Every structure is written in structure tokens, then in C-alpha cells.
């Protein structure tokens, strides 16, 4: 089984578990982690399901998960965000994701983003393009960023993640961009909409490597650009920018640099 097929299989195993909890939200206990974010039994159960699939097929690989930390060593590391958007999950919002990516020698080579409550799955492999289809279906279509669109933030269509839980310092950070770009609602993760040509820009105001590993590859393989707000090209902690073109990406980073 190829790494990409394994990533999809693992993500779908997690999605199945997540949907069982999503269907019974009223009885799901919520906890607050040290960083103030929400975690539930569902997060841990979804990650356990994903880890079980990966460990069975690739027992020698390392696995890094948001809930379970790092296990194993070596140049191949699977990166898991079992429920990306737990706050949305517990609120009954269908935009939560299951994210699985593979990093090989420091580079993301496969990435999957399942949106279980919407019945869709998005995936990419390094050099193999990005695709989207229905969960359990054969209706895959290739993703492309918008061929035409804004090349500067002025007038660009923008998705901001999160949309309802932006802290005051994050709002201040975003102000130079939101003052000139056209902020749009996102029915599915805004980075995926950049990959699909429906948005020019996405800014995610916070996160860790597991928040960005899969989506960064999906956007890049669709022809777009990704980096941290500080310009680092690899996924990691802090705010990140996804853009439909290198020109727009550079102009957006420059905007955050200030005069």
C-alpha cells in the first residue's frame, strides 16, 4: 500500500470514529487543555484509531499526534491532528477535519484532510497533485488554485481561521490585511478553498505543525503557496499564510512586515 493510500485509510478510520461521537454530542464531556483549547474523549479516540492503522502498516515509522505526542524515531514521521477544529466539533459545526500527513526527512510528502460531517476528503502527494472527492466514492477531481485573481492583498478574497474565536492580539495582527482584502465566509477550511480556486488567500492565526502539515501540501500541489507568517516554508507553530500565487503570497507577507 502506498503512503498516500495509507494516509487516506488512516484518516477515514479516524473519521468513522469521529462521526460516532459527533452524532452523540449532547453526552460528550469537554475538557480545557493547558493552552485554553478544548479537548474531548473524541479527540483521543480518533487519534487512537489513526495510530492503530499506521502502526500496523508502518511499524518502524514515528508518529506525532496532537493528543498522544511523539512515538518512535527515524526519518519518516506521521503527523496527526485527530480533530482539527474541536471547538467547532463540540458546537455541532460540520467544518471540523481529520488531518493526517507524512513527513520524510523534514519534508511533507503526503497529506489528507477528511471533512467527515460533509462527506468529503482532500489529499495530495509530493509531485502528484491535489485532489478532492467524496468519502467512499470514486468521484475524485484534481484541484487547481484560481488561474486569475488578485496579485496583491487589495481586493483579494480572504478566509481567516478561526472565524469566531479570534483573540484581540490576533485581530490587531490581521488589521493591515483585513483593511484591504475582502473577508469571506468559509464553508470548509479556507486553505482548502484556496487549493480549490474559491479563495485567493487564507490566514490561520495560530496552530502547530499538525494543523498545517496536510493543508500546506494540498495547497502547494494545487499550485499555491504556503509559509508561516515569518516566512518559514515548512509547517510549524504560529500563524500561517496560504495564497493562490507566489506574487500574492510575497505581497501579503510584506504587508505584515509593516512600513
Amino acid at each position: 500500500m502506498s503512503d498516500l493510500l495509507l494516509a487516506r485509510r488512516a484518516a477515514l478510520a479516524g473519521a468513522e470514529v469521529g462521526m460516532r461521537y459527533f452524532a452523540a454530542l449532547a453526552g460528550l464531556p469537554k475538557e480545557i487543555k493547558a493552552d485554553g483549547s478544548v479537548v474531548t474523549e473524541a479527540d483521543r479516540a480518533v487519534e487512537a484509531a489513526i495510530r492503530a492503522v499506521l502502526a500496523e502498516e508502518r511499524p518502524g515509522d514515528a508518529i506525532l499526534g496532537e493528543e498522544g505526542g511523539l512515538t518512535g524515531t527515524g526519518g519518516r514521521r506521521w503527523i496527526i491532528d485527530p480533530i482539527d477544529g474541536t471547538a467547532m466539533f463540540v458546537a455541532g459545526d460540520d467544518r471540523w477535519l481529520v488531518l493526517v500527513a507524512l513527513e520524510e526527512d523534514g519534508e511533507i510528502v503526503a497529506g489528507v484532510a477528511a471533512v467527515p460531517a460533509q462527506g468529503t476528503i482532500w489529499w495530495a502527494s509530493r509531485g502528484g497533485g491535489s485532489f478532492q472527492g467524496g468519502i467512499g466514492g470514486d468521484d475524485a477531481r484534481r484541484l487547481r488554485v484560481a488561474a486569475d485573481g488578485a496579485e496583491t492583498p487589495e481586493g483579494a478574497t480572504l478566509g481567516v481561521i478561526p472565524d469566531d474565536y479570534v483573540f484581540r492580539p490576533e485581530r490587531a495582527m490581521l488589521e493591515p490585511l483585513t483593511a484591504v482584502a475582502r473577508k469571506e465566509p468559509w464553508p470548509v477550511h479556507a486553505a482548502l478553498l484556496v487549493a480549490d480556486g474559491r479563495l485567493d488567500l487564507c490566514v490561520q492565526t495560530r496552530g502547530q505543525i499538525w494543523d498545517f502539515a496536510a493543508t500546506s501540501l494540498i495547497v502547494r500541489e494545487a499550485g499555491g503557496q504556503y509559509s508561516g507568517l515569518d516566512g518559514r516554508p515548512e509547517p510549524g507553530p504560529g500563524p500561517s499564510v496560504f495564497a493562490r500565487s507566489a506574487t500574492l503570497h510575497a505581497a501579503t507577507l510584506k504587508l505584515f512586515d509593516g512600513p
Side-chain angles (χ1 to χ4, degrees):
M1 181 184 300
S2 73
D3 289 329
L4 180 58
L5 285 177
L6 178 57
R8 289 186 59 184
R9 179 181 162 194
L12 290 174
E16 182 178 355
V17 172
M19 283 300 293
R20 292 203 295 267
Y21 283 94
F22 193 63
L25 280 175
L28 183 64
K30 292 91 175 172
E31 304 167 28
I32 304 298
K33 293 197 286 189
D35 63 1
S37 61
V38 180
V39 65
T40 70
E41 178 185 327
D43 296 80
R44 291 184 281 266
V46 170
E47 183 166 321
I50 294 169
R51 283 178 176 270
V53 172
L54 297 175
E56 180 180 0
E57 293 290 334
R58 302 288 192 274
D61 290 354
I63 301 176
L64 173 65
E66 180 176 10
E67 306 308 330
L70 178 65
T71 57
T73 58
R76 287 169 50 92
R77 180 172 69 163
W78 296 91
I79 302 171
I80 304 167
D81 191 344
I83 299 180
D84 181 67
T86 303
M88 292 188 292
F89 179 91
V90 299
D93 188 320
D94 69 2
R95 293 176 293 173
W96 56 279
L97 310 169
V98 176
L99 300 174
V100 177
L102 174 62
E103 179 188 64
E104 195 164 18
D105 297 324
E107 185 173 355
I108 305 299
V109 297
V112 175
V115 192
Q118 296 185 12
T120 62
I121 185 167
W122 310 62
W123 67 91
S125 60
R126 185 180 59 184
S130 293
F131 298 85
Q132 185 265 333
I135 289 177
D138 298 320
D139 55 342
R141 61 184 181 86
R142 187 156 190 162
L143 301 173
R144 300 283 189 186
V145 296
D148 299 304
E151 294 291 4
T152 65
E154 289 75 15
T157 54
L158 166 69
V160 174
I161 299 176
D163 54 359
D164 297 328
Y165 307 97
V166 179
F167 303 135
R168 185 176 299 174
E170 295 172 338
R171 205 172 295 119
M173 175 191 73
L174 289 168
E175 191 172 343
L177 178 58
T178 55
V180 296
R182 192 168 78 247
K183 190 177 173 185
E184 301 280 356
W186 38 277
V188 69
H189 194 292
L192 300 178
L193 295 181
V194 172
D196 198 23
R198 288 184 268 170
L199 286 177
D200 297 318
L201 275 172
C202 165
V203 174
Q204 195 162 340
T205 62
R206 68 190 89 114
Q208 300 293 330
I209 186 171
W210 44 75
D211 294 286
F212 305 119
T215 52
S216 63
L217 184 65
I218 291 169
V219 169
R220 283 173 167 163
E221 286 295 322
Q225 297 286 315
Y226 163 84
S227 79
L229 202 61
D230 58 4
R232 55 168 172 74
E234 68 280 352
S240 288
V241 177
F242 306 81
R244 58 164 290 275
S245 72
T247 301
L248 177 59
H249 179 261
T252 302
L253 291 183
K254 186 175 181 181
L255 185 67
F256 282 108
D257 285 341

